[in-house]
């Protein structure tokens, strides 16, 4: 039987070396690769692109940069989940509460009521409710919303842009590579710190 | 807001001054609303913006902690209790949590690509959870072998549970196919680090089942591999998994491994047939030693060939740059711009965001250079793998006792179940 102690020492040394390099690499990458996405996430920041923000050690999730989003409709189809984890959300603070909501009604609506033939949303996920004259509240039923962005596009073009597409993190699986991010023509998907 | 009691002219001048003073800020600020904010007189309160609820079960810190626990329990189940049942139960729990609850993402196999991308591109964020996910199974493998494969990996677990009638695969075919994970590893790392995409995620055969959604082709491939897995145990683990290749390498250095103590073994050979991945080697008779001269000459021939083969690998690899570049989304964008397809979404977005076609072309040229270098490295890596396989095949293949191959053993514990000398295998 060959004397294995030298071999064991060598293997032990290699093991320690491998473990040390792995850990070292982990620490190095964790500190170096900050949250800076290099784009216009933090314009004017002098620390780009090697920001060593300690927040980098926190978890990151995918989110849509609404200033880049062009409402192309890929969010509804490209997500690995069906229905998509992207939903339209309503920023009520920016809403005009209009009677003729451009995000709710089709362009040539025959009557301003809740009839399906007048609605832009293909699944009727927006609920219209009278508040007071002449204001109407528009709420989105997320369970129905597909994330197709038709309402968002119309609201942005003719309204206040209070309807936006956002990734919902209770649904999003947080893939290593977001399938929608790959397809997005406007490169609007970014990894941001989970809040 | 109270109405200002000023004449229209004064109001106009004030507004102009305001705009001039705040001009730069206004440019950066969002577009002024077309419709003014309503003044509610009925006491209506605007609904509060609902932020996404904080994840509880999918919390990444919880997931990391559970992974540590799973690796720990796997080690105990394998080396302390030596119980196949414990390993199976653990693998089922991990399948339910890491597979169906977290829908397969994030996983260490995918995290490997993030690390590769982050290595090259400093703007790729790498959270602590992601790095832990990548490193923990590797560190565990350095000491205790492929614990992750045995019980913690949901892909492995689903194959393990479906391996109902595992057959032996011919040794030479098994060795040849066993090279695929290493070749695939090289390709995956190249793709991830050059921004061509995450191959592992796109071609994961089982994730469609975890998510309960996927394209027809994904489901078809998944079903085929699972079907194959009924007769050829763990096909993805043995012949495809690139992270498994890393784990196999790491577990070669493991301090502790599943082994068969020679003083207790009765040479029944049941464990050999039980092992789903054929990691147990029977005793082999000592062959007559080859003449030293012949062996030396063969070694010298191989060593002489090596640089030529490596150079060939580097060259052929660099040729991959051109076809691979076509897979990058920037290439499609460049084509669209060249062909004047100004209605394309991507072109519209690119121009709106201030992109310049000449900058894009310069970027593409840079990418082509990177791909040439990366492709060359990949070619050389593949040649090294083949050379390694040749060396491994010509190693002295003798042994007096049953041996468990450290790199092939996936720590499933099935051999424990079959060993008639209860507790013989450790």
């Amino acid at each position: 039987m060959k004397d294995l102690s030298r071999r064991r020492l060598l293997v032990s040394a290699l093991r320690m070396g491998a473990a040390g390099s792995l850990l070292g690499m982990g620490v190095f990458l964790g500190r170096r690769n900050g949250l800076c996405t290099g784009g216009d996430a933090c314009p004017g920041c002098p620390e780009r692109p090697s920001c060593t923000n300690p927040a980098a050690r926190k978890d990151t999730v995918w989110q849509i940069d609404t200033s880049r989003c062009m409402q192309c409709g890929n969010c509804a189809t490209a997500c690995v989940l069906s229905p998509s984890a992207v939903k339209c959300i309503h920023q009520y603070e920016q809403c005009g509460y209009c009677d003729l909501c451009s995000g709710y009604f089709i362009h040539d609506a025959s009557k301003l009521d809740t009839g399906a033939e007048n609605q832009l949303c293909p699944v009727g996920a927006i609920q219209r409710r009278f508040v007071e004259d002449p204001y109407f509240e528009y709420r989105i039923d997320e369970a129905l919303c597909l994330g197709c962005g038709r309402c968002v596009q119309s609201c942005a073009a003719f309204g206040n842009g209070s309807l936006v597409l956002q990734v919902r993190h209770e649904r999003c699986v947080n893939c290593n590579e977001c399938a929608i991010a790959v397809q997005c023509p406007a490169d609007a998907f970014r990894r941001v710190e989970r809040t | 807001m109270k109405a200002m009691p000023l004449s229209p002219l004064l109001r106009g001048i004030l507004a102009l001054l305001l705009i001039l003073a705040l001009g730069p800020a206004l440019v950066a600020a969002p577009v002024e609303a077309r419709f003014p904010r309503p003044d509610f007189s009925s006491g209506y309160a605007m609904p509060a913006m609902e932020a996404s609820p904080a994840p509880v079960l999918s919390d990444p810190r919880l997931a990391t902690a559970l992974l540590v626990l799973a690796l720990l329990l796997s080690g105990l189940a394998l080396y302390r209790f030596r119980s196949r049942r414990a390993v199976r139960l653990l693998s089922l729990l991990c399948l339910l949590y890491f597979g169906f609850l977290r829908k397969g993402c994030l996983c260490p196999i995918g995290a490997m690509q993030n690390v590769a991308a982050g290595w090259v591109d400093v703007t790729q964020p790498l959270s602590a959870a992601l790095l832990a996910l990548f490193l923990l199974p590797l560190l565990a493998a350095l000491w205790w072998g492929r614990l992750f494969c045995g019980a913690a990996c949901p892909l492995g677990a689903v194959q393990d549970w479906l391996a109902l009638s595992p057959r032996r695969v011919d040794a030479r075919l098994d060795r040849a196919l066993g090279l695929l994970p290493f070749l695939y590893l090289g390709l995956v790392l190249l793709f991830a680090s050059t921004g061509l995409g995450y191959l592992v995620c796109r071609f994961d055969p089982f994730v469609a089942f975890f998510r309960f959604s996927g394209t027809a082709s994904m489901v078809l491939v998944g079903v085929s591999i699972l079907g194959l897995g009924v007769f050829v145990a763990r096909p993805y683990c043995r012949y495809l998994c690139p992270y498994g290749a890393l784990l196999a390498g790491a577990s070669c250095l493991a301090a502790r491994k599943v082994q068969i103590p020679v003083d207790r073994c009765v040479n029944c050979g049941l464990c050999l047939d039980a092992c789903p991945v054929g990691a147990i080697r029977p005793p082999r008779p000592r062959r007559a030693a080859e003449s030293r001269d012949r062996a030396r000459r063969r070694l010298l021939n191989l060593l002489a060939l090596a640089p030529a083969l490596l150079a060939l690998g580097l060259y052929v690899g660099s040729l991959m740059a051109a076809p691979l570049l076509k897979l990058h989304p920037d290439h499609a964008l460049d084509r669209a711009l060249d062909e004047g397809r100004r209605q394309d979404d991507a072109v519209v977005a690119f121009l709106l965001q201030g992109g310049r076609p000449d900058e894009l072309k310069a970027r593409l040229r840079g990418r082509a250079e990177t791909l040439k270098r990366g492709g060359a490295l990949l070619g050389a890596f593949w040649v090294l793998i083949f050379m390694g396989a040749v060396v491994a095949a010509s190693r002295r293949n003798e042994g007096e006792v049953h041996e468990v191959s450290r790199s092939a053993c996936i720590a499933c514990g099935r051999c424990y179940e079959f060993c008639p000398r209860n507790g013989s295998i450790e």
Side-chain angles (χ1 to χ4, degrees):
Chain A
M1 187 72 109
K2 279 196 290 227
D3 181 14
L4 294 171
S5 57
R6 205 184 313 162
R7 192 186 201 190
R8 231 175 250 159
L9 182 66
L10 183 66
V11 171
S12 198
L14 280 173
R15 188 186 314 130
M16 291 301 182
S21 359
L22 280 173
L23 282 170
M25 179 186 80
V27 169
F28 168 69
L29 285 176
R31 292 170 88 92
R32 184 190 75 162
N33 288 45
L35 276 176
C36 173
T37 50
D40 24 54
C42 322
C45 170
E47 288 188 81
R48 278 169 64 217
S50 50
C51 169
T52 52
N53 188 341
R57 278 167 239 145
K58 296 205 177 99
D59 188 34
T60 59
V61 291
W62 291 103
Q63 195 48 277
I64 301 174
D65 182 346
T66 52
S67 64
R68 293 171 89 104
C69 172
M70 31 184 318
Q71 308 97 33
C72 64
N74 278 349
C75 284
T77 52
C79 181
V80 295
L81 300 174
S82 57
S84 169
V86 173
K87 301 281 178 200
C88 175
I89 61 169
H90 197 187
Q91 294 169 297
Y92 297 100
E93 302 279 308
Q94 261 134 50
C95 183
Y97 283 77
C98 304
D99 187 8
L100 174 54
C101 173
S102 40
Y104 183 82
F105 288 109
I106 56 175
H107 296 316
D108 45 359
S110 57
K111 202 171 161 211
L112 298 185
D113 63 11
T114 54
E117 72 276 10
N118 297 322
Q119 288 185 39
L120 199 57
C121 178
V123 293
I126 310 183
Q127 270 122 36
R128 185 179 194 250
R129 189 174 73 89
F130 179 73
V131 177
E132 65 181 50
D133 193 46
Y135 300 122
F136 286 80
E137 181 198 68
Y138 296 92
R139 271 194 197 248
I140 302 181
D141 183 351
E142 277 195 19
L144 290 173
C145 178
L146 298 173
C148 70
R150 265 170 245 193
C151 59
V152 180
Q153 191 173 46
S154 195
C155 179
F158 303 110
N160 283 2
S162 59
L163 292 169
V164 289
L165 286 174
Q166 290 280 270
V167 177
R168 300 307 271 160
H169 299 115
E170 68 271 19
R171 293 168 193 270
C172 174
V173 182
N174 203 11
C175 297
N176 301 70
E177 179 195 45
C178 177
I180 321 176
V182 171
Q183 302 260 33
C184 179
D187 190 28
F189 276 73
R190 292 280 179 276
R191 269 205 174 271
V192 294
E193 182 191 331
R194 192 195 287 266
T195 45
Chain B
M1 215 162 38
K2 280 199 296 210
M4 285 198 283
L6 291 167
S7 76
L9 177 65
L10 222 56
R11 251 185 277 175
I13 293 173
L14 255 157
L16 190 65
L17 284 173
L18 210 66
I19 289 172
L20 285 173
L22 299 174
L26 279 176
V27 167
V31 170
E32 219 176 85
R34 288 190 184 92
F35 302 96
R37 198 172 151 160
D39 230 342
F40 294 112
S41 55
S42 67
Y44 165 79
M46 265 185 210
M49 276 276 289
E50 293 165 20
S52 278
V56 173
L57 284 176
S58 316
D59 187 312
R61 281 169 303 184
L62 177 67
T64 312
L66 286 178
L67 179 64
V68 173
L69 187 66
L71 289 170
L72 211 73
L73 290 175
S74 173
L76 282 172
L78 206 70
Y79 297 119
R80 187 73 191 281
F81 304 122
R82 301 204 281 264
S83 158
R84 163 73 169 154
R85 219 178 281 171
V87 175
R88 282 203 111 187
L89 178 65
L90 187 61
S91 78
L92 186 66
L93 292 172
C94 288
L95 174 62
L96 289 173
Y97 179 74
F98 292 111
F100 290 104
L101 192 139
R102 289 184 55 105
K103 300 204 169 71
C105 296
L106 305 164
C107 85
I109 318 179
M112 178 179 67
Q113 300 167 113
N114 283 76
V115 170
W119 188 261
V120 168
D121 179 7
V122 76
T123 65
Q124 283 281 324
L126 290 173
S127 64
L130 196 84
L131 287 167
L133 208 60
F134 171 66
L135 291 174
L136 285 170
L138 282 172
L139 291 171
L142 280 173
W143 266 268
W144 298 288
R146 292 170 74 162
L147 292 179
F148 177 72
C149 301
C153 180
L155 303 177
V158 78
Q159 290 170 89
D160 199 58
W161 278 87
L162 283 175
L164 301 166
S165 172
R167 310 284 155 88
R168 281 182 79 76
V169 176
D170 172 55
R172 272 182 305 190
L173 181 64
D174 192 58
R175 260 210 304 268
L177 289 175
L179 291 181
L180 281 177
F182 292 91
L183 304 179
Y184 190 38
L185 172 70
L187 198 67
V188 162
L189 292 178
L190 178 68
F191 267 61
S193 55
T194 52
L196 289 172
Y198 286 25
L199 282 181
V200 174
C201 306
R202 294 192 201 183
F203 295 107
D204 185 335
F206 307 120
V207 75
F209 301 116
F210 297 146
R211 293 172 186 152
F212 294 112
S213 84
T215 60
S217 55
M218 273 180 92
V219 174
L220 199 67
V221 169
V223 167
S224 322
I225 297 197
L226 284 178
L228 179 68
V230 172
F231 302 106
V232 176
R234 300 230 181 192
Y236 184 78
C237 304
R238 294 155 89 173
Y239 306 134
L240 280 174
C241 183
Y243 191 62
L246 286 179
L247 288 174
S251 59
C252 283
L253 298 171
R256 192 87 170 73
K257 69 165 191 172
V258 175
Q259 56 199 359
I260 304 163
V262 62
D263 52 338
R264 277 184 266 160
C265 177
V266 293
N267 277 319
C268 65
L270 282 171
C271 59
L272 260 168
D273 295 327
C275 180
V277 295
I280 302 184
R281 277 199 292 262
R284 286 134 300 169
R286 205 186 183 128
R287 280 201 306 234
E290 201 175 15
S291 93
R292 274 192 102 141
D293 270 346
R294 234 181 111 196
R296 205 181 284 151
R297 226 176 305 142
R298 188 170 63 201
L299 178 64
L300 283 174
N301 287 339
L302 285 173
L303 281 177
L305 265 179
L309 282 175
L310 275 172
L312 185 69
L314 284 167
Y315 176 67
V316 173
S318 70
L319 292 178
M320 285 197 286
L324 284 180
L325 187 66
K326 297 212 178 81
L327 295 173
H328 199 281
D330 271 357
H331 181 262
L333 178 61
D334 186 51
R335 283 281 298 279
L337 278 167
D338 280 345
E339 291 169 13
R341 295 207 300 267
R342 304 252 146 168
Q343 299 306 315
D344 264 14
D345 276 337
V347 175
V348 171
F350 176 71
L351 294 171
L352 261 176
Q353 286 162 12
R356 295 214 316 263
D358 54 342
E359 266 175 4
L360 180 67
K361 284 209 190 290
R363 251 204 329 261
L364 269 176
R365 273 197 298 273
R367 282 195 212 282
E369 281 307 307
T370 317
L371 274 173
K372 229 184 261 179
R373 276 198 299 269
L377 276 172
L378 180 65
F381 179 67
W382 280 353
V383 165
L384 278 172
I385 299 294
F386 278 116
M387 294 199 312
V390 167
V391 168
S394 46
R395 256 197 347 212
R396 259 192 306 193
N397 195 19
E398 63 201 28
E400 286 164 8
V401 298
H402 290 273
E403 260 174 47
V404 178
S405 157
R406 257 182 249 243
S407 52
C409 171
I410 44 150
C412 69
R414 198 158 184 261
C415 45
Y416 294 151
E417 203 176 23
F418 282 72
C419 179
R421 294 290 294 271
N422 221 349
S424 222
I425 306 184
E426 55 182 46

